[in-house]
Amino acid sequence: MKKYILGCLLVSFAFSCKEAPKKEEIIDTAAQTEEQITLNTYPQEFFKVLNAHGGLDNWKQYKTLRFDLPKPASVETHIVDLYRRTDKIIAETYSLGFDGKDVWLMDEAGSYEGKPKFYHNLMFYFYAMPFVLADEGLNYEEIPALVVDGVSYPGFHITFNNGVGASSKDEYFLHYDPETFQMKWLGYTVTYFSGIPSNEISWIEYANWNKVGEVLLPSAISWYSTENNNVKDRVNTVKFENAKLLKSAEPTTFFAKPSNAKVVD
Protein backbone atom coordinates (compact mmCIF):
# COMPACT_ATOMS: atom_id res chain seq x y z
CA MET A 1 0.00 0.00 0.00
CA LYS A 2 1.76 2.51 -1.27
CA LYS A 3 2.94 5.64 -2.88
CA TYR A 4 2.54 6.73 -6.48
CA ILE A 5 4.28 8.79 -9.23
CA LEU A 6 2.04 11.59 -10.27
CA GLY A 7 2.28 13.81 -13.32
CA CYS A 8 4.27 17.03 -12.97
CA LEU A 9 3.25 20.48 -14.09
CA LEU A 10 6.22 22.66 -15.06
CA VAL A 11 5.54 26.30 -14.41
CA SER A 12 7.82 29.01 -15.80
CA PHE A 13 7.81 32.52 -14.52
CA ALA A 14 8.58 35.54 -16.76
CA PHE A 15 9.82 38.75 -15.22
CA SER A 16 9.31 42.15 -16.82
CA CYS A 17 9.18 45.80 -15.99
CA LYS A 18 5.42 46.00 -16.31
CA GLU A 19 3.34 47.48 -13.52
CA ALA A 20 2.68 44.92 -10.77
CA PRO A 21 -0.89 43.56 -10.77
CA LYS A 22 -3.27 44.50 -8.03
CA LYS A 23 -3.37 42.32 -4.92
CA GLU A 24 -6.72 40.80 -5.92
CA GLU A 25 -5.29 39.82 -9.30
CA ILE A 26 -2.30 38.10 -7.67
CA ILE A 27 -4.59 36.01 -5.47
CA ASP A 28 -6.76 34.99 -8.43
CA THR A 29 -3.70 34.00 -10.48
CA ALA A 30 -2.33 31.87 -7.64
CA ALA A 31 -5.67 30.11 -7.20
CA GLN A 32 -5.89 29.44 -10.93
CA THR A 33 -2.35 28.00 -10.97
CA GLU A 34 -3.20 25.71 -8.04
CA GLU A 35 -6.29 24.45 -9.86
CA GLN A 36 -4.28 23.81 -13.03
CA ILE A 37 -1.72 21.82 -11.05
CA THR A 38 -4.45 19.70 -9.47
CA LEU A 39 -6.18 18.97 -12.78
CA ASN A 40 -2.86 17.97 -14.36
CA THR A 41 -1.99 15.71 -11.43
CA TYR A 42 -5.16 13.59 -11.32
CA PRO A 43 -7.68 12.42 -13.91
CA GLN A 44 -10.74 14.66 -13.77
CA GLU A 45 -13.09 11.87 -12.70
CA PHE A 46 -10.76 10.77 -9.90
CA PHE A 47 -10.53 14.38 -8.73
CA LYS A 48 -14.35 14.35 -8.51
CA VAL A 49 -14.14 11.23 -6.32
CA LEU A 50 -11.75 13.02 -3.96
CA ASN A 51 -14.08 16.02 -3.81
CA ALA A 52 -17.07 13.77 -3.09
CA HIS A 53 -15.25 12.70 0.08
CA GLY A 54 -14.39 16.19 1.28
CA GLY A 55 -11.51 17.14 -0.99
CA LEU A 56 -7.76 16.58 -0.94
CA ASP A 57 -7.05 20.00 0.56
CA ASN A 58 -9.16 19.17 3.61
CA TRP A 59 -7.45 15.79 3.97
CA LYS A 60 -3.98 17.35 3.81
CA GLN A 61 -4.66 19.68 6.74
CA TYR A 62 -4.58 16.71 9.13
CA LYS A 63 -1.41 15.16 10.53
CA THR A 64 -2.68 12.28 12.67
CA LEU A 65 -5.39 9.66 12.22
CA ARG A 66 -6.69 7.48 15.06
CA PHE A 67 -9.37 4.80 14.93
CA ASP A 68 -10.46 1.67 16.80
CA LEU A 69 -10.85 -1.73 15.20
CA PRO A 70 -12.95 -4.18 17.26
CA LYS A 71 -11.49 -7.69 17.30
CA PRO A 72 -12.90 -10.87 18.92
CA ALA A 73 -10.35 -10.82 21.74
CA SER A 74 -9.96 -7.06 22.23
CA VAL A 75 -10.02 -3.68 20.49
CA GLU A 76 -7.07 -2.48 18.43
CA THR A 77 -6.33 1.25 18.44
CA HIS A 78 -4.54 2.38 15.28
CA ILE A 79 -2.55 5.63 15.21
CA VAL A 80 -0.93 6.91 12.01
CA ASP A 81 1.23 9.91 11.21
CA LEU A 82 -0.26 10.96 7.88
CA TYR A 83 2.90 12.68 6.64
CA ARG A 84 5.73 10.51 7.95
CA ARG A 85 3.54 7.37 7.65
CA THR A 86 4.85 5.99 10.89
CA ASP A 87 2.22 3.97 12.72
CA LYS A 88 1.33 2.12 15.89
CA ILE A 89 -1.31 -0.44 16.87
CA ILE A 90 -2.17 -0.89 20.54
CA ALA A 91 -4.16 -3.89 21.79
CA GLU A 92 -4.72 -5.35 25.25
CA THR A 93 -1.91 -7.93 25.09
CA TYR A 94 0.33 -6.70 22.25
CA SER A 95 1.42 -3.69 20.26
CA LEU A 96 3.21 -3.25 16.95
CA GLY A 97 4.24 -0.44 14.70
CA PHE A 98 6.59 1.15 12.21
CA ASP A 99 9.09 3.76 13.41
CA GLY A 100 10.10 4.97 9.97
CA LYS A 101 12.82 2.35 9.61
CA ASP A 102 11.76 -0.94 11.20
CA VAL A 103 8.54 -2.81 11.88
CA TRP A 104 8.43 -3.92 15.51
CA LEU A 105 6.27 -6.19 17.66
CA MET A 106 5.84 -6.29 21.44
CA ASP A 107 4.02 -9.49 22.37
CA GLU A 108 5.26 -10.95 25.62
CA ALA A 109 2.15 -13.12 25.98
CA GLY A 110 2.59 -14.59 22.50
CA SER A 111 -1.02 -13.73 21.66
CA TYR A 112 -0.51 -11.95 18.33
CA GLU A 113 -1.26 -14.07 15.28
CA GLY A 114 -0.36 -12.47 12.00
CA LYS A 115 2.40 -10.93 9.93
CA PRO A 116 3.37 -7.55 11.44
CA LYS A 117 5.28 -6.40 8.36
CA PHE A 118 2.15 -6.90 6.25
CA TYR A 119 -0.43 -5.83 8.83
CA HIS A 120 1.01 -2.77 10.61
CA ASN A 121 -0.48 -0.29 8.10
CA LEU A 122 -2.90 -2.52 6.20
CA MET A 123 -6.13 -1.37 7.81
CA PHE A 124 -5.03 2.25 7.65
CA TYR A 125 -4.78 2.03 3.87
CA PHE A 126 -8.18 0.39 3.55
CA TYR A 127 -9.70 2.93 5.94
CA ALA A 128 -8.13 6.06 4.42
CA MET A 129 -9.53 5.41 0.94
CA PRO A 130 -9.75 7.18 -1.45
CA PHE A 131 -7.23 9.72 -0.15
CA VAL A 132 -4.26 7.32 0.06
CA LEU A 133 -4.72 6.73 -3.66
CA ALA A 134 -3.68 10.36 -4.14
CA ASP A 135 -0.21 9.71 -2.72
CA GLU A 136 2.84 10.30 -4.88
CA GLY A 137 4.03 7.50 -7.12
CA LEU A 138 0.67 6.61 -8.64
CA ASN A 139 -0.37 5.82 -12.21
CA TYR A 140 -4.03 5.96 -13.27
CA GLU A 141 -5.78 4.23 -16.14
CA GLU A 142 -9.50 4.47 -16.85
CA ILE A 143 -11.02 0.99 -17.18
CA PRO A 144 -14.42 -0.54 -18.05
CA ALA A 145 -17.10 -0.27 -15.38
CA LEU A 146 -17.52 -2.94 -12.72
CA VAL A 147 -21.04 -4.38 -12.88
CA VAL A 148 -22.52 -5.65 -9.61
CA ASP A 149 -26.20 -6.67 -9.36
CA GLY A 150 -26.90 -4.93 -12.64
CA VAL A 151 -25.38 -1.59 -11.57
CA SER A 152 -22.35 -0.21 -13.44
CA TYR A 153 -19.58 1.50 -11.49
CA PRO A 154 -16.93 3.40 -13.53
CA GLY A 155 -13.39 3.08 -12.32
CA PHE A 156 -9.62 3.29 -12.53
CA HIS A 157 -6.79 0.78 -12.59
CA ILE A 158 -4.09 2.08 -10.26
CA THR A 159 -0.45 0.98 -10.28
CA PHE A 160 2.83 2.09 -8.71
CA ASN A 161 6.17 2.97 -10.18
CA ASN A 162 8.93 0.41 -9.70
CA GLY A 163 10.49 0.69 -6.26
CA VAL A 164 7.68 2.79 -4.82
CA GLY A 165 6.43 1.50 -1.46
CA ALA A 166 7.11 -1.89 0.10
CA SER A 167 5.30 -3.81 -2.64
CA SER A 168 5.19 -1.85 -5.88
CA LYS A 169 3.74 -4.73 -7.92
CA ASP A 170 0.42 -4.57 -6.04
CA GLU A 171 -2.48 -3.17 -8.05
CA TYR A 172 -5.76 -1.42 -7.18
CA PHE A 173 -9.08 -0.99 -8.94
CA LEU A 174 -11.22 1.87 -7.66
CA HIS A 175 -14.87 2.00 -8.77
CA TYR A 176 -17.30 4.77 -7.85
CA ASP A 177 -20.99 5.63 -7.92
CA PRO A 178 -21.56 7.51 -11.21
CA GLU A 179 -24.16 9.81 -9.60
CA THR A 180 -22.55 10.71 -6.27
CA PHE A 181 -18.90 10.01 -7.24
CA GLN A 182 -18.44 8.37 -3.84
CA MET A 183 -16.16 5.34 -3.85
CA LYS A 184 -18.12 2.07 -3.93
CA TRP A 185 -15.73 -0.82 -4.67
CA LEU A 186 -12.02 -1.45 -4.22
CA GLY A 187 -10.32 -4.30 -6.00
CA TYR A 188 -6.73 -5.17 -5.18
CA THR A 189 -4.00 -7.71 -5.82
CA VAL A 190 -1.18 -8.43 -3.38
CA THR A 191 2.28 -9.89 -3.84
CA TYR A 192 3.06 -10.31 -0.11
CA PHE A 193 6.48 -8.74 -0.78
CA SER A 194 7.39 -11.48 -3.26
CA GLY A 195 7.67 -9.04 -6.15
CA ILE A 196 5.69 -11.45 -8.33
CA PRO A 197 2.51 -9.88 -9.77
CA SER A 198 -0.78 -11.59 -8.99
CA ASN A 199 -3.84 -11.96 -11.21
CA GLU A 200 -6.17 -12.70 -8.29
CA ILE A 201 -8.33 -9.69 -7.40
CA SER A 202 -9.97 -9.33 -3.98
CA TRP A 203 -13.01 -7.04 -3.72
CA ILE A 204 -14.11 -4.75 -0.89
CA GLU A 205 -17.42 -2.87 -0.77
CA TYR A 206 -17.53 0.66 0.63
CA ALA A 207 -21.22 1.14 1.38
CA ASN A 208 -21.43 3.56 4.33
CA TRP A 209 -19.51 6.73 5.11
CA ASN A 210 -19.05 8.84 8.24
CA LYS A 211 -17.91 12.43 8.43
CA VAL A 212 -14.62 12.57 10.33
CA GLY A 213 -13.36 16.11 10.63
CA GLU A 214 -14.01 17.65 7.21
CA VAL A 215 -13.83 14.43 5.16
CA LEU A 216 -15.80 11.23 4.64
CA LEU A 217 -14.27 7.94 5.79
CA PRO A 218 -15.92 4.49 5.83
CA SER A 219 -17.83 3.29 8.88
CA ALA A 220 -17.39 -0.30 7.70
CA ILE A 221 -16.02 -2.25 4.73
CA SER A 222 -17.02 -5.71 3.50
CA TRP A 223 -14.99 -8.33 1.66
CA TYR A 224 -16.70 -10.41 -1.01
CA SER A 225 -15.98 -13.78 -2.52
CA THR A 226 -15.07 -13.82 -6.20
CA GLU A 227 -15.44 -16.07 -9.19
CA ASN A 228 -13.21 -15.34 -12.19
CA ASN A 229 -12.49 -11.98 -10.50
CA ASN A 230 -16.21 -11.15 -10.44
CA VAL A 231 -17.90 -10.01 -7.20
CA LYS A 232 -20.09 -12.74 -5.66
CA ASP A 233 -21.14 -12.99 -1.97
CA ARG A 234 -20.31 -11.02 1.16
CA VAL A 235 -17.80 -12.90 3.33
CA ASN A 236 -16.70 -10.57 6.12
CA THR A 237 -17.36 -7.06 7.43
CA VAL A 238 -14.94 -4.90 9.44
CA LYS A 239 -16.18 -1.90 11.43
CA PHE A 240 -14.26 1.25 12.31
CA GLU A 241 -15.05 3.14 15.50
CA ASN A 242 -14.03 6.29 17.41
CA ALA A 243 -12.21 7.80 14.44
CA LYS A 244 -10.43 11.13 14.88
CA LEU A 245 -8.39 13.32 12.57
CA LEU A 246 -5.99 15.68 14.33
CA LYS A 247 -4.10 18.68 13.03
CA SER A 248 -1.24 18.00 15.44
CA ALA A 249 1.37 15.27 15.09
CA GLU A 250 2.54 12.84 17.76
CA PRO A 251 6.26 13.15 18.68
CA THR A 252 8.53 10.72 16.84
CA THR A 253 9.19 8.93 20.13
CA PHE A 254 5.55 7.84 20.23
CA PHE A 255 6.19 5.45 17.32
CA ALA A 256 9.65 4.33 18.47
CA LYS A 257 10.30 0.64 19.16
CA PRO A 258 9.87 -0.12 22.89
CA SER A 259 12.92 -1.57 24.59
CA ASN A 260 11.19 -4.93 25.11
CA ALA A 261 9.90 -5.15 21.52
CA LYS A 262 11.62 -6.99 18.70
CA VAL A 263 12.23 -5.95 15.11
CA VAL A 264 10.43 -8.26 12.67
CA ASP A 265 11.29 -9.17 9.09
Side-chain angles (χ1 to χ4, degrees), residues 12-31:
S12 61
F13 296 91
F15 295 91
S16 69
C17 298
K18 293 181 179 180
E19 181 181 352
K22 297 178 182 180
K23 184 177 181 181
E24 291 79 10
E25 293 174 336
I26 295 174
I27 294 174
D28 289 343
T29 302

Side-chain angles (χ1 to χ4, degrees), residues 4-9 34-51 55-57 59-60 130-142 156 158:
Y4 327 107
I5 277 209
L6 304 173
C8 294
L9 178 67
E34 196 67 34
E35 181 180 356
Q36 289 172 343
I37 291 173
T38 301
L39 290 176
N40 280 269
T41 299
Y42 306 107
Q44 185 177 17
E45 302 305 296
F46 181 69
F47 185 60
K48 290 179 180 179
V49 172
L50 295 173
N51 281 343
L56 192 57
D57 286 344
W59 171 254
K60 286 183 175 181
F131 297 107
V132 289
L133 294 182
D135 282 354
E136 294 181 357
L138 179 66
N139 301 297
Y140 307 86
E141 178 189 5
E142 199 166 340
F156 293 94
I158 298 165

Side-chain angles (χ1 to χ4, degrees), residues 79-88 97-101 120-121 124 250-252 254-256:
I79 308 99
V80 182
D81 186 303
L82 296 175
Y83 279 81
R84 293 190 292 254
R85 293 297 169 86
T86 47
D87 55 69
K88 188 175 185 177
F98 175 64
D99 61 10
K101 178 184 177 183
H120 71 93
N121 61 359
F124 157 67
E250 296 284 356
T252 55
F254 178 83
F255 300 99

Side-chain angles (χ1 to χ4, degrees), residues 147-255:
V147 180
V148 181
D149 295 332
V151 180
S152 295
Y153 299 96
F156 293 94
H157 176 210
I158 298 165
T159 59
F160 309 105
N161 232 41
N162 288 335
V164 173
S167 190
S168 59
K169 298 299 182 183
D170 292 353
E171 301 175 77
Y172 291 87
F173 304 84
L174 182 151
H175 293 268
Y176 57 90
D177 185 305
E179 295 183 0
T180 67
F181 282 92
Q182 289 185 357
M183 181 178 173
K184 179 64 176 179
W185 294 95
L186 177 72
Y188 65 95
T189 68
V190 292
T191 62
Y192 297 100
F193 306 102
S194 68
I196 302 174
S198 171
N199 293 323
E200 184 177 346
I201 303 175
S202 300
W203 288 102
I204 301 176
E205 181 186 25
Y206 286 73
N208 299 297
W209 300 91
N210 280 339
K211 190 168 185 180
V212 181
E214 296 299 319
V215 301
L216 294 180
L217 296 174
S219 57
I221 57 178
S222 298
W223 274 260
Y224 279 68
S225 63
T226 62
E227 184 176 308
N228 297 324
N229 287 333
N230 294 315
V231 178
K232 300 301 289 184
D233 302 311
R234 184 181 300 169
V235 174
N236 180 46
T237 297
V238 171
K239 295 181 179 180
F240 302 95
E241 299 177 349
N242 303 318
K244 293 181 180 180
L245 280 165
L246 307 173
K247 294 183 180 180
S248 59
E250 296 284 356
T252 55
T253 53
F254 178 83
F255 300 99

